[in-house]
Amino acid sequence: MAKKRRPQTKAATPQAGDGTIPVVGAREPCPCGSGRRYKACHGREASHAVVELVQRPFEGLPGEADWVALRELVPAATVELKLKGGLPEGVPSVTLATVLPMAWPALRRDNGAVLLGLQNDTPSGDLSRDLAATLQRALEADPGSPVAAERTGAEGPRLQDLLDPEGPFEPAVHTGFEFWVENAENATGDVAASLERANAAAIPTVRLSGVDAAYWCEVPDKNHLRWVMTVPEEKLLDALARLHVTGATSLGEGTRLVGSFRAHGLIVPVWDLPSEMGAQDVEKPAAAFAERLAEALADESPLTAEERRARGGLTSRQVTLN
């Protein structure tokens, strides 16, 4: 699933010496007034200040694998977040959303509730710190207003510092984006048209209930199962190779393990499924596979020549998302 780009904004009257330089598109004129493109002026300075890439930005959070799935794979989903120390006065709830209207990083509803968008471009190499900064600004925003994109410094808290480590992370996967607006069933005009367009582009997706962070999705001609796993990459690939040579990676007739994604430090094996195989149909095969995988993970013997070849094949079919 393609990521949503951050909305690009321009300074109304760019002048040198204004202080903080707003973030604009790389090819737009730099707001400092130099006449050069942003990427060749203050954008270059900002790029050097980017935080070093954090390979697993959601590590240590409850539901790390689901965070990755919602960031990269799931079109429409929400999760109620719990903050350390509870919610501030005037904020009835904080909800993580895969994507928000206009690709806003966050918004605060008229009633004070906060929605935090996950599928946005972020300015630094630490996605957790960027999201935490956006969340802090959303908690302080005026009710009824979106939160604009801002560059994040190398200091400041991360999500791990703001969210309750004991709080549950229970994604609710939606068929569309009605969660964008209150009383969506009564939407009319441009709002209704925008929802209709967004819903038409959403791939039908279901989170399996019997195993963690496994998502069935429907695409033309076939279905897929995409399963985010927190097992270390090398160990997981060894286990999958062991299962592959015995034909034990199948989820049933007509299914096939076709490769994997690498996303935010985790591996996401992907299966092709027959078009008639729905989410409920894959629940039992997925649970049985989880048991076989656990046995393979416990095997610490060296790989055989055939298993090494299988492992090489799995590695060659791996795609890095982020």
Side-chain angles (χ1 to χ4, degrees), residues 80 91-96 106-109 111-116 134-135 137-141 147:
E80 295 299 312
V91 180
S93 63
V94 174
T95 303
L96 181 73
L107 62 86
R108 192 162 182 201
R109 293 194 187 281
N111 67 355
V114 167
L115 272 69
L116 176 66
T134 300
L135 174 57
R137 289 187 286 114
L139 292 170
E140 298 173 356
V147 176

Side-chain angles (χ1 to χ4, degrees), residues 233-249 257 289 293 296-297 299 302-315 317:
E233 178 175 351
E234 299 302 315
K235 188 173 183 179
L236 178 58
L237 289 175
D238 283 352
L240 291 175
R242 295 183 196 278
L243 294 175
H244 181 77
V245 298
T246 61
T249 56
L257 177 63
F289 175 81
L293 179 62
L297 289 169
D299 186 348
L303 296 180
T304 65
E306 187 177 7
E307 289 168 345
R308 288 196 299 272
R309 287 193 295 271
R311 191 186 193 283
L314 290 169
T315 303
R317 299 195 300 275

Side-chain angles (χ1 to χ4, degrees), residues 13-88:
T13 56
Q15 295 180 5
D18 279 349
T20 301
I21 301 297
V23 177
V24 300
R27 295 180 178 274
E28 293 184 47
C30 186
C32 76
S34 67
R36 292 184 292 173
R37 290 180 177 178
Y38 179 69
K39 69 177 183 179
C41 191
H42 280 83
R44 175 178 295 178
E45 176 184 336
S47 68
H48 290 307
V50 167
V51 177
E52 182 179 355
L53 179 64
V54 176
Q55 296 291 340
R56 289 180 63 174
F58 306 120
E59 187 175 16
L61 290 173
E64 178 189 6
D66 283 305
W67 276 91
V68 172
L70 268 56
R71 166 73 180 184
E72 299 294 341
L73 305 173
V74 181
T78 55
V79 185
E80 295 299 312
L81 298 180
K82 303 297 182 183
L83 305 185
K84 287 182 179 179
L87 295 169

